[in-house]
Amino acid sequence: MYLTLPDRFTFAQFKQITPIEPSNLVALIVERHDQRITVKRSAVAQENLRKIFESTFRLANKVGFAGMTLRDLCRDTGLSMGGLYGYIGSKDDLSAMIEDVIRFTSEAIPIWFSAQSSALKRLDSTLRGHIFISELLRPWFYFVFMESRTLSASQKTIARSSEMSFQDELSRLFVEAGLTDIPNAQLRAAHCMALIQDWYVKRWKYQQQQVSVDTFADSVCRLALLNLDALQDA
Amino acid sequence: MYLTLPDRFTFAQFKQITPIEPSNLVALIVERHDQRITVKRSAVAQENLRKIFESTFRLANKVGFAGMTLRDLCRDTGLSMGGLYGYIGSKDDLSAMIEDVIRFTSEAIPIWFSAQSSALKRLDSTLRGHIFISELLRPWFYFVFMESRTLSASQKTIARSSEMSFQDELSRLFVEAGLTDIPNAQLRAAHCMALIQDWYVKRWKYQQQQVSVDTFADSVCRLALLNLDALQDA
DNA sequence: GTCTATAGCATGATAGAC
DNA sequence: GTCTATCATGCTATAGAC
């Protein structure tokens, strides 16, 4: 599935056409984990699931996922301990479902823009796309960034290879855009990842400085694409 | 205290003259927290403290600080529960001591290079200094990055203001170097912080790509100082 | 200074009523 | 589908012997 957007599209433009957004996610999760979720797909069930994730993000942000107790989660969602276990099979299931959303999303982004005409445009769009989707799903991205180290070895491997496959995609685009020194292209791709992640990890900082997501995306793209125009002309 | 180093100094050169290094840290901590530490300052006490921090880093890296139990810590250090409490007053003390080391260190770096002749050189040295010290004290920096959100409100405030004061120092140096658009200088300083933090947060990635700390520092400084030479000449 | 033993309580998960 | 009640376990922290 391709997304059709103008050059240097804004967050507002992106939000109107993105196929992945907060209101979709619960349905996506129910679809991908229906064995584990014993409750029926009623409206109240979807609303309860939404609350469970919302509360998990709030509580894990305060004390970490390991520090968050299921009793805290019950208090925050209004569910009882028994009721909660109708939605999750265990505490670990909860983190696995969240991680799955991010993996699914990160794999979709490069495809959205693979039809763009030039490597430079694909680079710009892919960077903006990742920044904007992480803005929309910020709590989900933040959770995986912070908690993936505490997950099981297999989950950690999946998280890392998911991150590397996106970074490798950026690296390939840099090479296509003229940066033929491959280690250099890889390093620049790693730098791009770091800049993008900072947007959702250190949000308090940008809020304090009143930087908008569009200003941020412009700044990252400018830094990432510096000197590539010159290579393109040569 | 100023450090005297050549332009574009390497990690090896930095390591020879840095006043803060792993072997100093335990003595520094004993000095700054002698009320809480009831054991005498014997050689065995210092060795036990060193083990306590080493084990804390290993275990917190696996399960998070909240997920790490003091029983795990005892097993890993070889101390008993009672023995451990001779070194720490509580589990929270442990994280507070670690955070204190990073605050102390981050405040020292800009001073080390404040005697450099030009703003561009101060920028380059300050960036390298931060990268190299975070290489030396990587587990300490990593711990504070990951765990500061789970600490008490006052600890979190201290951690954030400590990070912002370093970022503001970078921002001032950018302005001095000719980047007179202040919001732009602040944004570039934030980007520098993100790049530097990536070095100790996503170490697995750079290890995988076999990027040395000197190569990394060169790459960050190049990106950070791009276009500043031109401004300087004008 | 370091140990063993234990107090006192919170946790993840489940059983069974309705 | 959701509740209350309960289980077995594991937790931080301390008391007291040596």
Side-chain angles (χ1 to χ4, degrees):
Chain A
M1 174 178 198
Y2 302 137
L3 295 196
T4 308
L5 278 163
D7 287 354
R8 308 183 117 242
F9 55 89
T10 65
F11 178 57
Q13 292 169 325
F14 174 81
K15 208 158 62 168
Q16 286 183 336
I17 67 160
T18 176
I20 301 180
E21 50 173 337
S23 62
N24 286 356
L25 289 183
V26 169
L28 180 76
I29 288 165
V30 169
E31 191 185 325
R32 286 168 74 90
H33 299 92
D34 60 348
Q35 314 122 331
R36 283 173 185 163
I37 301 171
T38 64
V39 296
K40 286 185 187 140
R41 302 184 189 187
S42 64
V44 58
Q46 294 230 350
E47 172 61 13
N48 276 339
L49 255 183
R50 197 194 57 72
K51 271 194 215 159
I52 288 171
F53 289 114
E54 184 188 282
S55 295
T56 299
F57 294 140
R58 178 172 34 247
L59 296 170
N61 188 25
K62 276 189 202 156
V63 293
F65 185 65
M68 177 193 87
T69 72
L70 295 187
R71 281 181 171 77
D72 292 339
L73 188 58
C74 289
R75 203 174 308 122
D76 214 63
T77 56
L79 288 164
S80 66
M81 284 292 282
L84 178 66
Y85 274 87
Y87 294 92
I88 59 170
S90 71
K91 200 182 172 188
D92 286 343
D93 274 2
L94 190 48
S95 53
M97 284 190 255
I98 297 168
E99 209 201 11
D100 188 52
V101 166
I102 295 307
R103 185 166 76 253
F104 179 84
T105 303
S106 294
E107 283 168 7
I109 301 169
I111 300 168
W112 288 349
F113 304 106
S114 56
Q116 293 267 30
S117 57
S118 78
L120 276 180
K121 281 186 186 171
R122 277 201 297 284
L123 252 177
D124 188 272
S125 298
T126 304
L127 291 171
R128 274 174 216 278
H130 200 155
I131 291 168
F132 292 159
I133 197 77
S134 75
E135 169 73 8
L136 268 178
L137 310 186
R138 191 180 91 85
W140 303 76
F141 276 82
Y142 184 85
F143 181 94
V144 170
F145 185 96
M146 283 298 182
E147 305 294 350
S148 66
R149 69 182 172 137
T150 69
L151 306 182
S152 67
S154 64
Q155 292 273 343
K156 189 152 66 176
T157 305
I158 292 170
R160 286 187 178 184
S161 75
S162 171
E163 174 163 355
M164 278 312 289
S165 87
F166 188 86
Q167 181 174 317
D168 288 342
E169 173 68 20
L170 286 181
S171 179
R172 268 191 301 276
L173 288 173
F174 277 127
V175 172
E176 274 190 66
L179 209 67
T180 49
D181 177 359
I182 288 177
N184 194 12
Q186 284 176 331
L187 196 49
R188 199 183 271 230
H191 289 334
C192 288
M193 299 294 288
L195 295 180
I196 291 172
Q197 287 164 348
D198 202 50
W199 176 251
Y200 54 85
V201 172
K202 294 288 172 84
R203 170 59 50 89
W204 57 271
K205 195 188 275 189
Y206 297 103
Q207 236 160 14
Q208 198 174 297
Q209 297 185 3
Q210 296 188 298
V211 175
S212 75
V213 64
D214 287 314
T215 304
F216 181 83
D218 284 343
S219 179
V220 168
C221 289
R222 216 181 107 263
L223 211 57
L225 304 181
L226 259 175
N227 292 3
L228 289 186
D229 288 352
L231 294 168
Q232 204 75 350
D233 296 339
Chain B
M1 176 180 196
Y2 302 137
L3 296 194
T4 308
L5 279 162
D7 286 353
R8 308 181 119 242
F9 55 89
T10 65
F11 179 57
Q13 292 169 324
F14 174 81
K15 208 157 65 167
Q16 286 183 335
I17 67 158
T18 177
I20 300 179
E21 50 171 337
S23 62
N24 287 356
L25 288 184
V26 170
L28 180 76
I29 288 166
V30 169
E31 191 185 326
R32 287 168 73 89
H33 299 92
D34 59 349
Q35 313 122 330
R36 283 173 184 164
I37 302 171
T38 63
V39 296
K40 288 188 185 137
R41 301 183 189 186
S42 64
V44 57
Q46 296 232 346
E47 173 60 13
N48 277 339
L49 256 183
R50 195 195 58 73
K51 270 194 215 158
I52 288 171
F53 289 113
E54 184 187 281
S55 295
T56 299
F57 294 139
R58 176 170 39 246
L59 296 170
N61 188 25
K62 277 189 202 155
V63 292
F65 185 66
M68 175 194 89
T69 72
L70 296 185
R71 279 184 170 75
D72 292 339
L73 189 57
C74 289
R75 204 174 306 122
D76 213 65
T77 56
L79 287 165
S80 66
M81 284 293 282
L84 178 65
Y85 274 88
Y87 293 93
I88 60 170
S90 72
K91 199 183 173 188
D92 286 343
D93 274 3
L94 190 50
S95 53
M97 284 190 257
I98 297 168
E99 210 201 11
D100 188 53
V101 166
I102 295 307
R103 186 166 76 253
F104 178 83
T105 303
S106 294
E107 284 169 7
I109 302 168
I111 300 168
W112 288 348
F113 304 107
S114 56
Q116 293 266 30
S117 57
S118 79
L120 276 179
K121 281 187 185 169
R122 278 200 297 284
L123 253 177
D124 187 274
S125 298
T126 303
L127 291 171
R128 275 174 214 277
H130 200 155
I131 292 167
F132 292 160
I133 197 79
S134 74
E135 169 73 8
L136 267 179
L137 310 186
R138 190 179 92 85
W140 303 75
F141 275 83
Y142 184 86
F143 181 94
V144 169
F145 185 97
M146 285 297 181
E147 305 293 350
S148 66
R149 69 183 171 134
T150 69
L151 307 182
S152 66
S154 63
Q155 293 272 342
K156 189 154 65 176
T157 305
I158 291 170
R160 286 185 178 186
S161 75
S162 170
E163 174 162 357
M164 278 312 290
S165 88
F166 189 85
Q167 183 174 314
D168 288 342
E169 173 69 20
L170 287 181
S171 180
R172 268 192 299 278
L173 289 172
F174 277 128
V175 172
E176 273 189 67
L179 210 66
T180 49
D181 176 0
I182 289 176
N184 194 13
Q186 284 176 332
L187 197 49
R188 198 183 274 230
H191 289 335
C192 288
M193 299 294 289
L195 295 180
I196 291 172
Q197 286 164 349
D198 203 51
W199 176 251
Y200 54 85
V201 173
K202 294 290 172 79
R203 170 59 51 91
W204 57 271
K205 193 188 278 188
Y206 297 103
Q207 235 160 16
Q208 198 174 299
Q209 298 185 3
Q210 296 189 298
V211 176
S212 75
V213 64
D214 288 314
T215 303
F216 182 83
D218 284 343
S219 179
V220 168
C221 288
R222 216 181 108 266
L223 212 57
L225 304 181
L226 258 177
N227 292 3
L228 290 186
D229 288 353
L231 293 170
Q232 204 75 351
D233 295 340

